Amino acid sequence: QQQVKQSPQSLIVQKGGISIINCAYENTAFDYFPWYQQFPGKGPALLIAIRPDVSEKKEGRFTISFNKSAKQFSLHIMDSQPGDSATYFCAATPLYNQGGKLIFGQGTELSVKP
Amino acid sequence: EAGVTQSPTHLIKTRGQQATLRCSPISGHTSVYWYQQALGLGLQFLLWYDEGEERNRGNFPPRFSGRQFPNYSSELNVNALELEDSALYLCASSLEVIDTQYFGPGTRLTVL
């Protein structure tokens, strides 16, 4: 129930293409879903986040789609660029109930080919 | 504004020794979180401190412990080191409990 399942494990996309990473969860107490981007040798950096009362959130080239009934959410990176090559982690937390504890997916290593 | 800082960057210990890792949160942040990022295991929640108190603990043995100081900086101690403790240890901080967590660059712990 505490797991967040992320797929695919790795993804290769051509420059200008759309990168799509999917996550699924079981715990209905989760109420905050952030995505983090991590470059080698760096800590994860917050990319975009969504609450379950919203079905979609867009920030620049990054969009989160959220399906509450299916307990799934996904990250879309439009017009993918080589600089987007990094590892992406979805996460979930019962923020307003327990606070603090982020449950992370296993990560997706994205490679954008020029 | 300075981000979350961690020290040391790298730490090499032998099995059975103790390791101490340090974290300074973003100025004004009172909550500090520790995560372990081991190869193949993703990011695992370790500990959460807020206002000097341990608020939540992940599924780790008691030899993983820590504390938060009055200036909100934090220390993670790992006793009786085992080979599988080799990992990147990440510290994060947030302004309030229900707020975004900002991560530091991590401390790479290697246990030989």
Side-chain angles (χ1 to χ4, degrees):
Chain A
Q1 266 227 329
Q2 286 292 313
Q3 278 188 321
V4 176
K5 295 181 180 178
Q6 183 173 346
S7 63
Q9 193 172 355
S10 63
L11 181 61
I12 299 174
V13 173
Q14 289 297 124
K15 179 182 174 182
I18 302 173
S19 304
I20 302 174
I21 304 170
N22 300 299
C23 287
Y25 64 98
E26 291 290 328
N27 191 342
T28 55
F30 289 152
D31 55 15
Y32 178 69
F33 303 87
W35 284 88
Y36 283 85
Q37 178 189 55
Q38 186 177 28
F39 292 103
K42 305 285 187 183
L46 179 71
L47 199 58
I48 187 172
I50 198 168
R51 295 266 336 264
D53 52 352
V54 176
S55 61
E56 186 175 283
K57 183 175 181 180
K58 184 176 180 179
E59 288 184 5
R61 295 185 294 109
F62 301 92
T63 300
I64 299 180
S65 297
F66 188 86
N67 186 329
K68 188 174 180 179
S69 60
K71 288 183 280 187
Q72 295 175 349
F73 58 111
S74 60
L75 175 69
H76 290 63
I77 305 174
M78 312 299 288
D79 187 27
S80 298
Q81 299 296 313
D84 297 331
S85 297
T87 300
Y88 292 81
F89 293 93
C90 63
T93 184
L95 189 64
Y96 289 85
N97 291 315
Q98 298 175 25
K101 180 179 180 179
L102 281 170
I103 310 297
F104 283 88
Q106 289 299 98
T108 296
E109 194 171 339
L110 171 65
S111 177
V112 181
K113 298 300 185 187
Chain B
E1 180 183 277
V4 176
T5 59
Q6 293 186 243
S7 63
T9 304
H10 295 91
L11 190 57
I12 299 174
K13 295 285 186 179
T14 56
R15 195 169 50 183
Q17 286 188 313
Q18 178 196 43
T20 299
L21 290 66
R22 295 180 176 84
C23 171
S24 291
I26 292 171
S27 177
H29 287 195
T30 60
S31 276
V32 171
Y33 314 83
W34 288 95
Y35 293 85
Q36 182 195 64
Q37 188 173 23
L39 204 61
L41 293 178
L43 284 139
Q44 305 286 324
F45 169 76
L46 258 169
L47 290 160
W48 167 33
Y49 291 94
D50 182 62
E51 297 286 357
E53 299 286 331
E54 182 179 304
R55 301 294 185 185
N56 203 350
R57 181 181 184 85
N59 190 24
F60 282 84
R63 55 192 188 80
F64 287 84
S65 65
R67 54 180 171 166
Q68 186 178 34
F69 300 98
N71 66 353
Y72 303 113
S73 67
S74 177
E75 190 176 270
L76 174 68
N77 294 293
V78 188
N79 294 318
L81 284 165
E82 299 179 2
L83 296 178
E84 53 264 36
D85 296 335
S86 294
L88 181 67
Y89 289 83
L90 292 158
C91 172
S93 73
S94 66
L95 184 60
E96 298 175 347
V97 171
I98 48 172
D99 201 358
T100 300
Q101 294 183 26
Y102 296 90
F103 284 81
T107 291
R108 172 74 61 186
L109 172 64
T110 301
V111 182
L112 303 175

